[in-house]
Amino acid sequence: METMAATNDSIAAIATPPGAGGIGVVRVSGPAARTVAATFLGRQPKPRFAHYAAFTDADGAVIDRGLVLFFNAPHSYTGEDVLELHAHGSVPVLHALMRRLADFGIRMARPGEFSERAFLNGKLDLAQAEAVADLISAGTEAAARAAMRSLDGEFSRRVHALTESVTVLRLKVEAAIDFSDEPVESLSNATLLASVEAIDAEFAALLKDAKQGQRLTQTPHVAIIGAPNAGKSSLLNALAQSERAIVSAVPGTTRDVLRETVEVDGVLMALADTAGLRESSDEIEREGMRRARAELERSDVVLIVSESDVPDPALLEGLGTATVLFVRNKIDRDGLLPGVETDAAGRTTIRVSAKSGEGIELLRAELSRAADLGDGQQGFSARARHIEALERARSALHRVRQSLANLQALELSAEDLRQVQAALGKITGVFGVEDLLGRIFANFCIGK
């Protein structure tokens, strides 16, 4: 396990994106922040006040002029003294400022080290710290809203509430062990089982919301398949609202997988237009069809496009676990109206015209529903490790239910409840997270 760096030194990083810009920000955290500010200002900085100053090198030559903002501990992002130097966004200028900071014994920050220090100093819990990275990388407004709710503590509050329920149950189990010779109704197996069922319902609700939050931070893959000339490329263009794919009446025009990322109800989706599926002796076309089949294996949603209400049964092969939507295209040619129908078998068909655009908004709505994305208004962002921890904790809770139902020794339930607490604690960083920190914060950008 990598040893965590001490936080009594000072770190610095360029906090704005690489390249030229109107403003560039260099951030400093640690005890040297106050000394740097006083050196540039010629006096002690006033916290949370913008000072105009000259940024000078060791010989007194001016590197640039800009603003100095000082945040005194613990009232800062990291909980330490923090300094921000707002200069012109010139790459040579910002690098010169970084070299100047090295004169004060300030080292270059590791990726995510500012947020890591915020966590270690109790300014953020681990789930909130990860939400910072999710907010920065959010590709849509929905993902940004979900990340902001996690950063505000929505996810953490629900985890803490669940942990409190588990703690109360564990105390009851421990008490039942201690007073096993004195039967107490509130500590009976039936009462404890009822508590387990209530907690399991909390787990189910939190897991559902966390999985939806995870999907908001990912890009669902949507494969568009069908027979040649069914209108797959036209459908991609209609969803992308641009002429991305070549459209031709000649069968077999699409030979490779064409990918396009589009926004559907505020969420990014990766669409893949594939080669038409049919019998063919053309070696290149057959390779395109092989790639089309391979695309199905990695897709979350599959759009089966056809010109009739009953698609070729061969198109239904190899769909795996993806959600399937049937798209009845070219309704403008056949005099049909756009609409959505779900038959007795649960098969959903959307009638559209990729050429005229009729029904495309209905298809967008069904795509969003199929991916189960929500809109980020009430959700929160979550990660795969959060889902794994919740599922591990719930599995341990299920063992408790089984032990109580089978009247097994309460010591087994007590140990399983301890494991439930441990798994939940790893989400917010209450305990047992040292081995996770290096991997988590290594994925952050420099300066955050």
Side-chain angles (χ1 to χ4, degrees):
M1 181 180 68
E2 181 181 355
T3 302
M4 297 304 298
T7 59
N8 58 358
D9 59 349
S10 298
I11 58 174
I14 299 172
T16 40
I23 298 174
V25 177
V26 174
R27 175 182 278 178
V28 180
S29 182
R34 188 182 297 268
T35 302
V36 174
T39 299
F40 288 154
L41 290 173
R43 63 187 187 280
Q44 288 297 316
K46 179 180 177 181
R48 300 176 179 274
F49 187 84
H51 302 270
Y52 181 70
F55 307 140
T56 55
D57 63 19
D59 297 324
V62 176
I63 299 171
D64 195 8
R65 300 179 189 275
L67 298 179
V68 172
L69 281 80
F70 177 72
F71 304 87
N72 59 314
H75 308 294
S76 70
Y77 177 71
T78 64
E80 305 170 336
D81 283 347
V82 170
L83 176 68
E84 289 186 359
L85 305 178
H86 292 223
H88 291 96
S90 159
V91 173
V93 166
L94 297 178
H95 286 174
L97 284 176
M98 288 295 295
R99 290 194 297 272
R100 177 66 175 116
L101 293 175
D103 296 336
F104 294 88
I106 301 172
R107 65 172 175 82
M108 176 73 177
R110 292 181 283 104
E113 191 169 2
F114 286 87
S115 294
E116 181 182 297
R117 290 189 175 204
F119 165 71
L120 293 173
N121 292 324
K123 303 297 289 187
L124 300 170
D125 67 28
L126 199 52
Q128 288 175 299
E130 290 170 291
V132 173
D134 292 338
L135 182 59
I136 292 172
S137 62
T140 65
E141 289 186 17
R145 286 193 298 266
M148 194 66 231
R149 289 178 65 83
S150 280
L151 183 55
D152 285 342
E154 175 64 22
F155 185 24
S156 300
R157 281 190 290 272
R158 292 184 63 178
V159 171
H160 288 313
L162 187 53
T163 302
E164 178 62 22
S165 296
V166 173
T167 300
V168 171
L169 175 59
R170 185 180 175 189
L171 289 174
K172 289 181 178 179
V173 170
E174 297 284 359
I177 294 172
D178 292 338
F179 297 98
S180 58
D181 295 333
E182 303 175 27
V184 180
E185 179 59 31
S186 62
L187 302 179
S188 67
N189 263 43
T191 302
L192 297 177
L193 269 171
S195 296
V196 169
E197 294 299 338
I199 293 172
D200 190 52
E202 290 184 58
F203 262 111
L206 184 55
L207 257 172
K208 178 184 176 182
D209 292 344
K211 286 179 178 179
Q212 187 175 77
Q214 183 192 21
R215 285 190 286 271
L216 280 171
T217 63
Q218 298 175 333
T219 303
H221 286 77
V222 181
I224 305 175
I225 68 169
N229 278 12
K232 301 181 299 299
S233 296
S234 296
L235 190 65
L236 174 71
N237 290 340
L239 289 169
Q241 297 180 324
S242 67
E243 298 298 317
R244 290 289 293 116
I246 297 174
V247 177
S248 170
V250 178
T253 299
T254 302
R255 298 295 185 96
D256 203 350
V257 177
L258 177 63
R259 306 184 192 281
E260 178 71 6
T261 300
V262 302
E263 186 172 321
V264 178
D265 287 348
V267 176
L268 295 180
M269 289 189 178
L271 303 185
D273 176 25
T274 65
L277 301 178
R278 64 172 180 173
E279 293 294 329
S280 175
S281 59
D282 186 302
E283 183 177 347
I284 297 178
E285 187 176 358
R286 288 172 63 184
E287 173 60 19
M289 289 187 282
R290 186 196 67 77
R291 296 186 182 188
R293 289 294 185 189
E295 190 67 27
L296 297 179
E297 298 179 3
R298 64 191 300 265
S299 296
D300 303 295
V301 180
V302 174
L303 299 183
I304 298 181
V305 185
S306 66
E307 300 180 53
S308 67
D309 292 327
V310 183
D312 185 344
L315 297 176
L316 305 179
E317 299 175 2
L319 295 180
T321 60
T323 300
V324 178
L325 295 176
F326 294 86
V327 180
R328 168 58 159 95
N329 193 22
K330 303 184 181 181
I331 60 172
D332 57 319
R333 182 195 65 184
D334 299 330
L336 301 175
L337 295 175
V340 178
E341 292 182 355
T342 302
D343 61 20
R347 189 178 82 171
T348 298
T349 300
I350 305 98
R351 295 191 302 273
V352 307
S353 168
K355 181 179 180 180
S356 69
E358 295 175 275
I360 294 300
E361 287 308 310
L362 294 175
L363 176 57
R364 285 176 172 273
E366 290 301 317
L367 270 174
S368 179
R369 187 174 295 109
D372 192 20
L373 296 170
D375 60 6
Q377 293 284 3
Q378 301 299 322
F380 50 80
S381 63
R383 295 186 167 196
R385 79 166 195 91
H386 302 148
I387 308 299
E388 181 184 351
L390 285 170
E391 289 178 338
R392 188 165 60 250
R394 195 182 186 194
S395 293
L397 183 70
H398 288 174
R399 292 197 297 272
V400 174
R401 179 169 58 192
Q402 185 175 9
S403 295
L404 291 173
N406 294 334
L407 301 177
Q408 293 176 314
L410 288 175
E411 285 79 4
L412 295 175
S413 295
E415 172 57 23
D416 283 328
L417 288 171
R418 185 194 65 79
Q419 293 185 28
V420 175
Q421 287 179 302
L424 291 175
K426 287 190 175 183
I427 295 176
T428 55
V430 175
F431 53 80
V433 297
E434 291 81 0
D435 57 330
L436 295 174
L437 297 185
R439 283 181 289 169
I440 289 172
F441 290 110
N443 295 321
F444 279 50
C445 58
I446 300 289
K448 200 63 183 178

